[in-house]
Amino acid sequence: MVDITPLIPGNRQLIERYGDSGFRISGVAWTTSVLVRPTQTLAWDVTRLEDLTEESLAPLLDGDVEVLLIGCGARLGMIPPKLRAAVRARGPVIDAMDTGAACRTYNVLLAEDRRVAAALIAL
């Protein structure tokens, strides 16, 4: 696992590590894909980018998120234009990247106190 721990207040969901065995987020190990918000992490049943839907992202689309990062797995994938438009209509900008880059970007935006969330497909 790669350690990517910046200095963040203790009440935030910080992505500490990611790798083939899953994620470590604020001291908790996750072996599944996850949805991460600054104050909460949830198990997520999406395992492939092709399974991504507006419904699967619903827990992150409540209007409080300004940037939604999609960790596509080991490689960058394309978000279908229709899904991208549907998410954007609900508020957040959606940005897809490989899962490692999404973890690192989430932590940077969290450190900047941005309203960020991440949907991370496990590697």
Side-chain angles (χ1 to χ4, degrees), residues 2 6 9 26 33 35 49 56 68-69 79 81 95 105 114-115 123:
V2 178
S26 293
S33 297
L35 299 174
L49 189 59
S56 71
L68 175 55
L69 304 171
I79 304 298
D95 196 1
T105 303
R114 300 279 301 276
R115 295 180 319 165
L123 298 177

Side-chain angles (χ1 to χ4, degrees), residues 12-15 23-26 28 30-47 51-62 65 67-71 87 94 99 102-103 106 116-122:
R12 301 294 180 104
Q13 294 294 292
L14 178 68
I15 303 170
F23 305 93
R24 184 176 171 95
I25 302 170
S26 293
V28 177
W30 297 83
T31 58
T32 65
S33 297
V34 291
L35 299 174
V36 186
R37 301 177 65 113
T39 59
Q40 180 183 42
T41 300
L42 302 169
W44 191 37
D45 62 0
V46 172
T47 58
D51 298 330
L52 188 66
T53 64
E54 186 177 357
E55 293 77 30
S56 71
L57 294 171
L60 304 178
L61 300 177
D62 63 4
V65 174
V67 178
L68 175 55
L69 304 171
I70 306 296
V87 169
I94 188 170
T99 292
C103 290
Y106 170 87
V116 63
L120 305 171
I121 296 173

